[in-house]
Amino acid sequence: DNINLDIEDYTEQLMELDPVTREMYLNGNWDVQEGGGMFQREYFQIKHRSQIPPMVKVIRTWDVAGTKPNGKNPDPDWTVGSLVGVTENGDIWIIDIRRIRDTPGEVEKFKKKTALDDGPDVDIREELEPGSAGKFVQHYTKYTMLDEYNVSFEKSSGKKEHRARPFAAHAAN
């Protein structure tokens, strides 16, 4: 309806959105729903480790949990560490995923071994949990457990689904 709108530029911008939002704005389909989540298998190509190109940046990101399956909680959350790299031309590679469901002490050992495997050139990122407990975890991780690595913590805001949308759009495109 906007006669001053550059349709070509607007369409190009819409192509950067995740598939559901793009369908809403581009085609006016307000009934569209996410089909099996934000990420579809066909967005990703599986490559052999020998095919990984040189990276300009590699980061290990952690989403930490700390419960081992038990009678009260047979299906707790996983601790997941994703090793992600970016090539010179901006391609994003998921190089490695590591997962564990265990006690905090075992998760700590797992993260330390993963850092050793990744090497000192890989930056480590983790969510800063709210409250004083998050500050203690941050301090312990940075200055004791992984003190020889470049570790940083970031406060998250909003739902995980919203934070994942830019990556989902990149994957879809």
Side-chain angles (χ1 to χ4, degrees), residues 121-155:
D121 295 333
V122 173
D123 293 345
I124 301 169
R125 301 289 180 265
E126 191 171 319
E127 180 180 359
L128 178 60
E129 299 290 341
S132 61
K135 293 175 185 175
F136 278 97
V137 168
Q138 176 186 21
H139 186 272
Y140 172 75
T141 302
K142 284 180 77 166
Y143 301 109
T144 302
M145 187 176 94
L146 297 173
D147 62 330
E148 63 270 21
Y149 298 92
N150 179 15
V151 180
S152 66
F153 285 73
E154 298 174 16
K155 288 183 181 180

Side-chain angles (χ1 to χ4, degrees), residues 2-128:
N2 185 345
I3 60 171
N4 297 320
L5 184 67
D6 181 341
I7 296 297
E8 190 175 304
D9 183 54
Y10 182 67
T11 303
E12 190 175 301
Q13 289 177 33
L14 290 177
M15 297 309 289
E16 298 295 321
L17 297 172
D18 66 272
V20 172
T21 307
R22 180 175 55 236
E23 178 66 15
M24 289 175 176
Y25 286 104
L26 188 61
N27 298 316
N29 180 1
W30 301 103
D31 296 323
V32 68
Q33 296 179 5
E34 293 179 18
M38 226 177 273
F39 298 95
Q40 304 300 316
R41 170 62 190 93
E42 60 268 15
Y43 295 170
F44 301 93
Q45 299 174 29
I46 305 296
K47 302 283 187 174
H48 187 270
R49 193 173 264 285
S50 64
Q51 295 174 290
I52 297 173
M55 299 289 156
V56 294
K57 184 77 171 172
V58 180
I59 298 172
R60 170 76 65 180
T61 62
W62 287 101
D63 185 3
V64 179
T67 303
K68 187 175 186 169
N70 59 58
K72 283 185 171 181
N73 190 357
D75 189 26
D77 289 341
W78 290 84
T79 291
V80 180
S82 304
L83 186 65
V84 179
V86 179
T87 64
E88 191 172 286
N89 67 355
D91 289 339
I92 298 172
W93 285 67
I94 301 170
I95 301 167
D96 179 61
I97 302 285
R98 302 216 178 161
R99 299 166 30 118
I100 186 173
R101 285 197 304 192
D102 216 319
T103 63
E106 292 302 312
V107 168
E108 178 184 310
K109 290 177 195 172
F110 183 75
K111 286 172 56 182
K112 178 73 172 181
K113 181 180 181 331
T114 301
L116 288 168
D117 291 346
D118 290 344
D121 295 333
V122 173
D123 293 345
I124 301 169
R125 301 289 180 265
E126 191 171 319
E127 180 180 359
L128 178 60

